Amino acid sequence: METVPTEVGSLRVEVDGSGPPAVLWHSLFLDSTSWTRLRGNLAEVRTLILIDGPGHGANPTPPGPFSMSDCAAAALTILDTIGIARPVDWLGNAWGGHVGVFFAAGNPTACRSLITIATPLRVLSPPERRKVRLLYELHRLVGPRPVAALVTDALLGKAFRRSNPDAGAVVSASFVRANRAGMRDAIRSISLNRADSTDRLPAVVAPTLMLTGADDAMCTPADTAAWAARIPAGQSLVVPGAGHVTPLFQPQTADVIRNFWTRSG
């Protein structure tokens, strides 16, 4: 584990495995521990570069507001700093998928393939915005612990969380341990204030797979299929589950990822 200075502040980075390089960027509210169930399997075939995004994990408060484009630039800085040759495979969950789209669209020679998991590329709807704003205010007033259960249920789905308490513990712990001010900066920057990024999709030339859960209300299969269709080499796939991060805790997801990497060359 090392810390790398970037455009969005110092970010913690861990490298694991062997083979061609793959960048893994997690969802909002989580950190790189969310890849725990998939990590060992994927590290058999790739050198994994696991990045904790600004305001998450053990990272300090970001120096100011930031965008998805800023995050993509930070990923390039990290690759240069730690001496990882490009192109890389990009694997991103929710927030990480947004960053991957910007990374792939802005740096076509740097991205060999792109996989997004439950990544809603549009801006928040008014009801979603109200929910996120309420979460933001609760976090500001009472801290992360009293609202961790709400976040965990939203990201995993209540049924999956109840049947998989270990997954719930990973999600809750990620949210609780993050820098408080940094987490709120991230919520503002890449949730409440994020722009629609669907206009970037036609510029993504890398083979792309967009996954989403069958019952994910925040990133529906219909939306994901429409977005994938705008990418020249894009495809979508529906997997079981309701929450944004449920696929990360299902062992078959690793097989889907590895098969796509094999097909992408």
Side-chain angles (χ1 to χ4, degrees), residues 10-243:
S10 294
L11 301 183
R12 300 263 294 192
V13 182
E14 187 173 4
V15 179
D16 185 25
S18 60
V23 174
L24 278 62
W25 191 300
H26 56 81
S27 171
L28 178 66
F29 305 132
L30 301 183
D31 56 33
S32 292
T33 61
S34 60
W35 301 106
T36 298
R37 293 275 185 93
L38 303 179
R39 178 172 170 170
N41 194 323
L42 300 182
E44 294 176 0
V45 296
R46 288 293 186 274
T47 297
L48 307 180
I49 301 98
L50 300 106
I51 300 173
D52 281 342
H56 289 66
N59 291 329
T61 303
F66 56 90
S67 66
M68 300 296 182
S69 182
D70 294 331
C71 293
L76 281 173
T77 296
I78 288 169
L79 293 174
D80 288 340
T81 300
I82 65 176
I84 297 294
R86 296 187 290 274
V88 299
D89 296 297
W90 188 285
L91 174 59
N93 174 214
W95 175 19
H98 285 275
V99 181
V101 167
F102 277 78
F103 181 88
N107 309 277
T109 62
C111 190
R112 178 172 43 237
S113 72
L114 169 64
I115 300 176
T116 70
I117 301 175
T119 299
L121 297 173
R122 51 174 172 71
V123 298
L124 295 178
S125 68
E128 290 170 335
R129 182 173 294 278
R130 287 192 291 271
K131 289 179 181 178
V132 174
R133 174 58 68 180
L134 175 60
L135 173 66
Y136 177 92
E137 292 299 333
L138 287 172
H139 184 278
R140 182 179 65 83
L141 292 170
V142 300
R145 290 187 183 277
V147 294
L150 295 174
V151 171
T152 303
D153 282 348
L155 293 179
L156 286 173
K158 290 183 179 180
F160 189 87
R161 190 261 300 168
R162 289 169 183 157
S163 62
N164 293 267
D166 290 347
V170 169
V171 172
S172 179
S174 297
F175 179 66
V176 168
R177 73 170 149 258
N179 177 291
R180 292 190 181 188
M183 175 62 72
R184 290 194 294 276
D185 281 354
I187 293 171
R188 286 195 304 270
S189 292
I190 55 93
S191 183
L192 290 170
N193 295 334
R194 77 165 183 251
D196 186 299
S197 54
T198 56
D199 61 335
R200 303 270 172 159
L201 296 175
V204 176
V205 298
T208 299
L209 176 63
M210 292 186 158
L211 302 176
T212 199
D215 301 308
D216 189 339
M218 294 184 284
C219 184
T220 70
D223 284 340
T224 304
W227 295 327
R230 299 187 62 181
I231 298 174
Q235 58 184 287
S236 63
L237 180 67
V238 179
V239 295

